Amino acid sequence: MATRHLCPEWLGAQYKAASLSASQDLPWLCTVTPGPVRGQVGTELTSANPPFWDPSCEFKHTFLVHFPKKQISRKVEEKRTVITGEFNRLHTWLKEEEQGLLQRLAEEERETLQRLQENVRNLSQQSSSLQQLITELEKKCQQRAAELLKVRDRLHRNSSVQSGERALPLGLPWSGLGWAEGIAETLLAPLDVTLDPDTAHPNLVLSEDRKSVRLGDTRQDLPDTPERFDTYPEVLGTERFTGGKRYWEVEVGDKTEWTLGVCRESVSKKGNVTLTPGYGYWAMVLRDGKYKARTSPSTPLPVTVSPSRVGIFLDYEAGEVSFYNVTDGSHLFTFTDTFSGTLRPYFHTGLSAGDTNAAPLIICPIPSW
């Protein structure tokens, strides 16, 4: 007779039932799917009537265990209470987080709107200020443009009379007035030139406002510094140029000798001076009744009307120094070079010949825009 084994699932159920209540005899029902087993399907099985298991057959047992309903209901209710409590706490935390985030968002929105309003007010004020400046500049531009047009008209009429050509309309460009457009650019900020007493020859007498210079009769007791001219009556302007466009005018009056222009700050100020571009000077001179540009050699300048006022225009980047007869508005000469280092205005009063050249050189004010 083959060895028969008790059903393991039934034995496990018996063990669990015994642990719950040793005195309670729980009924077990065994449902067998196909396979030989002792007893019929649905037969009440007890320890006295256990099911047997044949390992060589495939089958499935399902045991229906009947626990007390109150105990199950209590456990389910406890679990439901725990779950409900946890979700209530989670909902409360989420609500608080939502309210906090919404409050911070509202504060950020309020602060951002305040900053935007301040920016709008600032931009409005700046726009108003800029509009006022634009209006002022437009008025000044119209004033200065009218003056330049008058000069152009006068110069063009003179040129037409000399050449016998019919005058061009004012709205058209005229090659002889190219300098006017260049100078006009500098009139927004006219250069207020003053004289540098530390560079003045000891015989020169400067005005209190340093706007005029003349040759005195006696040599002053001044320090002989490297910056001071010691041989000829020369002096530099205080202003220094390393770029840009500058324009200034000098009243020469009826003087019979003078030299005006621009020089490098580094030129030698001791002994004889050679006033040519090779030595750092770009100058125009009146001597012996003749006007010359101090090139090498000098260039004679045909002057129809003797200038009582001379305009000097410096365009550093273009490498140009131009001279103009302000008296009749004509162009006298333009040096073309390449500049480097610092440039300064240059003045030479000329030597005295009795009382014929005693008048000073006077730096003229230029109307500001």
Side-chain angles (χ1 to χ4, degrees), residues 349-366:
T349 62
L351 300 176
S352 294
D355 294 333
T356 59
N357 199 41
L361 293 174
I362 303 172
I363 300 171
C364 304
I366 301 176

Side-chain angles (χ1 to χ4, degrees), residues 38-49:
R38 178 180 171 184
Q40 299 296 327
V41 175
T43 304
E44 185 177 16
L45 303 176
T46 64
S47 56
N49 188 28

Side-chain angles (χ1 to χ4, degrees), residues 98-114:
E98 179 186 10
Q99 293 176 352
L101 290 174
L102 291 176
Q103 184 176 358
R104 286 195 294 272
L105 182 61
E107 292 175 355
E108 291 178 0
E109 180 184 14
R110 185 165 53 254
E111 293 175 357
T112 302
L113 290 176
Q114 290 177 353

Side-chain angles (χ1 to χ4, degrees), residues 2 9-10 15 29 85 114 120 152 179 182 244 250 268 294 313 354 360:
E9 294 185 15
W10 182 84
Y15 174 79
L29 295 178
Q114 290 177 353
V120 169
R152 181 191 300 203
W179 62 271
V250 181
S268 174
R294 292 304 304 265
F313 178 55

Side-chain angles (χ1 to χ4, degrees), residues 224-239:
D224 185 16
T225 61
E227 293 79 19
R228 190 180 303 280
F229 290 98
D230 66 353
T231 305
Y232 297 99
E234 303 164 294
V235 63
L236 298 183
T238 304
E239 290 67 32

Side-chain angles (χ1 to χ4, degrees), residues 57-73:
C57 300
E58 294 182 0
F59 59 88
K60 179 179 179 182
H61 292 281
T62 300
F63 296 94
L64 301 178
V65 183
H66 300 277
F67 290 98
K69 292 183 179 180
K70 290 184 179 180
Q71 185 177 1
I72 294 174
S73 297

Side-chain angles (χ1 to χ4, degrees), residues 4-280:
R4 292 185 299 171
H5 302 277
L6 292 175
C7 177
E9 294 185 15
W10 182 84
L11 290 175
Q14 288 288 82
Y15 174 79
K16 290 180 182 179
S19 63
L20 289 175
S21 176
S23 60
Q24 183 178 1
D25 188 10
L26 296 177
W28 291 87
L29 295 178
C30 178
T31 303
V32 181
T33 58
V37 66
R38 178 180 171 184
Q40 299 296 327
V41 175
T43 304
E44 185 177 16
L45 303 176
T46 64
S47 56
N49 188 28
F52 294 99
W53 171 56
D54 188 349
S56 62
C57 300
E58 294 182 0
F59 59 88
K60 179 179 179 182
H61 292 281
T62 300
F63 296 94
L64 301 178
V65 183
H66 300 277
F67 290 98
K69 292 183 179 180
K70 290 184 179 180
Q71 185 177 1
I72 294 174
S73 297
R74 184 176 66 254
K75 290 184 177 295
V76 170
E77 188 62 30
E78 290 175 356
K79 193 64 175 178
R80 181 182 293 110
T81 302
V82 171
I83 292 173
T84 302
E86 289 295 330
F87 273 93
N88 286 338
R89 283 193 295 273
L90 182 59
H91 290 160
T92 301
W93 178 80
L94 289 174
K95 189 66 176 178
E96 293 174 352
E97 286 295 308
E98 179 186 10
Q99 293 176 352
L101 290 174
L102 291 176
Q103 184 176 358
R104 286 195 294 272
L105 182 61
E107 292 175 355
E108 291 178 0
E109 180 184 14
R110 185 165 53 254
E111 293 175 357
T112 302
L113 290 176
Q114 290 177 353
R115 288 196 297 269
L116 287 175
Q117 292 175 354
E118 292 177 359
N119 290 338
V120 169
R121 285 195 296 269
N122 293 335
L123 289 174
S124 178
Q125 294 174 356
Q126 293 176 4
S127 176
S128 178
S129 300
L130 288 174
Q131 188 59 47
Q132 293 178 358
L133 291 175
I134 290 171
T135 303
E136 293 177 4
L137 287 174
E138 286 177 346
K139 291 180 180 179
K140 292 180 178 180
C141 286
Q142 291 173 359
Q143 295 172 359
R144 179 58 63 181
E147 295 177 8
L148 289 175
L149 286 175
K150 290 178 182 178
V151 173
R152 181 191 300 203
D153 189 24
R154 185 175 69 252
L155 292 175
H156 195 59
R157 284 199 302 270
N158 292 340
S159 176
S160 298
V161 170
Q162 294 174 7
S163 62
E165 298 175 357
R166 190 165 66 90
L168 294 174
L170 290 179
L172 296 178
W174 180 53
S175 59
L177 282 175
W179 62 271
E181 284 83 4
I183 293 175
E185 295 181 22
T186 69
L187 294 177
L188 283 171
L191 182 63
D192 184 20
V193 175
T194 57
L195 300 170
D196 183 1
D198 294 334
T199 64
H201 185 276
N203 281 86
L204 292 179
V205 179
L206 276 61
S207 63
E208 187 174 347
D209 62 359
R210 300 179 183 176
K211 288 289 188 177
S212 68
V213 57
R214 65 178 177 85
L215 181 60
D217 298 328
T218 59
R219 187 182 182 91
Q220 304 173 74
D221 185 15
L222 298 173
D224 185 16
T225 61
E227 293 79 19
R228 190 180 303 280
F229 290 98
D230 66 353
T231 305
Y232 297 99
E234 303 164 294
V235 63
L236 298 183
T238 304
E239 290 67 32
R240 294 168 169 81
F241 314 127
T242 56
K245 299 177 181 179
R246 300 291 185 272
Y247 177 77
W248 64 97
E249 296 177 353
V250 181
E251 184 76 31
V252 296
D254 296 328
K255 288 178 67 65
T256 58
E257 186 175 321
W258 49 260
T259 307
L260 299 172
V262 174
C263 72
R264 289 197 185 97
E265 185 176 37
S266 60
V267 296
S268 174
K269 302 172 182 65
K270 307 300 180 183
N272 291 327
V273 177
T274 303
L275 300 180
T276 61
Y279 289 89

